[in-house]
Amino acid sequence: MSFPYSTEKQVALTAVRRACALTSSVFNKLVRNETLTKDDKSPVTVGDYSAQAVVNTVLSRAFPADPIVGEEDANELRQKSGEALKHRIVELANEALTADLGIGEMAEWGLGPGQERTPEELMDAIDHGSDPGGPLGRRWTLDPIDGTKGFLRGEQYAVCLALMVDGEVVLGVIGCPNLPVNNAEPDGQKGCIFVAVKGQGAEQTALSGANPTPLTIPAVTPGTLNFLESVEAAHSDLEFNNRVSELLNITRAPKRMDSQAKYCCLARGDGSVYLRMPTRAGYKEKIWDHAPGFVLVRECGGIITDSRGQPLDFGLGRTLGENYGVIAAGKDVHADVLAAVQKAQAEEKEKSKA
């Protein structure tokens, strides 16, 4: 029996797995060994472009009619000043694409020995991520390195890919090369991939695709609640989060990390609540920063809304529209967190009147 989106699931896992291997290679070659020359761009730039080239190449071969909403374009690389950067990106992308086939991978997706792409083909693959988004049809959205500062620190970052159909997220894959396989063993094996398909649940696998383990957000009690937060204060209103913690009588310290790895930790119970409230007026969240995490949380039995209690809307374009924040938690505590957030907002409103 074939499940809906079974091929899409395997293609997405393959693309993210290869991108994870590439970004790890970029870190080891360009960050850990500090081999950048004065002509090189940031390792994040190299990794972003290279990973997007790989993922978009795989998606375009498997689903040539599907548009992609991506973060990068190849304009800079097509300039004479971008030649050195382009050369490095082509080298890294082809290294990832031509590696031996792994679990569930197919040569017809443009993978395996002898499947090198020309520089122009890879530039076109990067540019394939220029779709504006919208409410109708199938489209993918990609963040090749989510959590750039975490990546540079050798801490948490993620390769994030999702499929949307008529504005609804139906598939999400998040690759976390540096996340411990078991939170109870922080110094143990690292690297895992999280995948969720609408109506089919969610699972964690090894980076290779082996050892799939079903995921369900565990029940929590008030005494065991804690927040999952961004490391960077600019990404979320941490002072506001502290007030919400007080209202909920949370005593456990927050778990802070970069990227959508926070959604993954919520899905397997490493933290209880992911709260991301806006830090400035006018900022709009990008769909690629939340789409895979959205379907992951829902398929693990959790609830994810904005601060009004409304579902996030992925059919508005490249952003989620006006920013009302993000609240993700297990179904047993989400209503309490939402009420505390709204009370804290009301307090802030009263203060601003005084």
Side-chain angles (χ1 to χ4, degrees):
M1 177 181 173
S2 178
F3 289 99
Y5 306 114
S6 57
T7 301
E8 287 87 344
K9 176 183 175 181
Q10 192 55 54
V11 169
L13 279 167
T14 294
V16 169
R17 180 187 306 133
R18 298 241 169 184
C20 284
L22 184 154
T23 54
S24 293
S25 175
V26 168
F27 179 82
N28 288 326
K29 290 177 180 177
L30 301 187
V31 181
R32 178 172 289 160
N33 296 330
E34 298 186 27
T35 56
L36 289 174
T37 71
K38 63 181 176 64
D39 295 324
D40 282 321
K41 290 285 187 176
S42 155
V44 173
T45 304
V46 174
D48 267 332
Y49 278 127
S50 305
Q52 183 158 316
V54 167
V55 173
N56 287 4
T57 294
V58 174
L59 292 178
S60 298
R61 285 293 296 267
F63 307 108
D66 287 357
I68 303 169
V69 183
E71 199 168 9
E72 312 296 344
D73 65 59
N75 288 341
E76 178 184 5
L77 305 179
R78 296 183 189 277
Q79 308 302 317
K80 188 174 180 63
S81 59
E83 278 295 322
L85 178 59
K86 179 167 76 173
H87 177 76
R88 187 182 288 277
I89 287 162
V90 169
E91 182 179 45
L92 285 163
N94 275 324
E95 182 181 300
L97 290 167
T98 59
D100 291 340
L101 294 177
I103 296 172
E105 298 185 342
M106 308 283 282
E108 50 261 45
W109 300 339
L111 299 170
Q115 297 265 27
E116 290 88 354
R117 291 290 183 279
T118 66
E120 192 59 31
E121 285 173 329
L122 291 170
M123 296 306 100
D124 288 345
I126 292 171
D127 279 338
H128 194 52
S130 61
D131 184 72
L136 300 176
R138 280 172 53 114
R139 55 178 43 84
W140 299 83
T141 186
L142 167 69
D143 193 342
I145 297 183
D146 180 33
T148 55
K149 292 185 178 178
F151 171 74
L152 290 172
R153 289 193 302 267
E155 296 175 359
Q156 296 312 319
Y157 73 97
V159 178
C160 304
L161 181 64
L163 172 64
M164 297 170 293
V165 178
D166 295 334
E168 181 180 15
V169 189
V170 298
L171 165 66
V173 180
I174 305 175
C176 302
N178 294 336
L179 192 68
V181 171
N182 184 347
N183 186 55
E185 300 174 5
D187 298 321
Q189 181 184 351
K190 289 182 170 62
C192 32
I193 295 179
F194 297 77
V195 57
V197 182
K198 180 189 173 187
Q200 298 175 35
E203 61 189 15
Q204 173 184 323
T205 76
L207 284 177
S208 66
N211 304 319
T213 304
L215 294 171
T216 302
I217 296 176
V220 293
T221 62
T224 61
L225 272 177
N226 72 318
F227 281 173
L228 291 153
E229 298 177 342
S230 299
V231 174
E232 303 299 323
H235 291 170
S236 188
D237 190 341
L238 300 183
E239 186 176 333
F240 181 87
N241 287 11
N242 290 339
R243 177 55 184 148
V244 176
S245 292
E246 290 174 1
L247 291 170
L248 291 168
N249 297 313
I250 293 176
T251 56
R252 291 181 63 200
K255 188 178 182 73
R256 289 181 176 160
M257 65 182 68
D258 297 282
S259 83
Q260 287 183 66
K262 292 186 286 292
Y263 283 123
C264 302
C265 287
L266 174 62
R268 68 183 191 185
D270 298 350
S272 312
V273 180
Y274 174 29
L275 182 59
R276 180 180 173 111
M277 298 302 292
T279 58
R280 65 182 188 273
Y283 178 76
K284 295 183 178 181
E285 295 281 2
K286 309 297 190 297
I287 60 171
W288 52 77
D289 284 331
H290 298 282
F294 180 83
V295 69
L296 177 64
V297 168
R298 293 185 70 164
E299 287 302 313
C300 287
I303 298 174
I304 178 168
T305 68
D306 63 19
S307 63
R308 303 168 301 171
Q310 298 299 309
L312 308 184
D313 189 345
F314 292 92
L316 300 176
R318 294 172 71 87
T319 76
L320 293 172
E322 189 171 348
N323 190 345
Y324 295 101
V326 177
I327 305 169
K331 59 187 176 185
D332 53 336
V333 296
H334 185 276
D336 292 337
V337 177
L338 176 61
V341 166
Q342 292 178 342
K343 183 173 181 180
Q345 288 177 319
E347 290 175 352
E348 285 194 340
K349 192 172 182 181
E350 284 301 312
K351 281 183 186 176
S352 67
K353 291 179 180 177

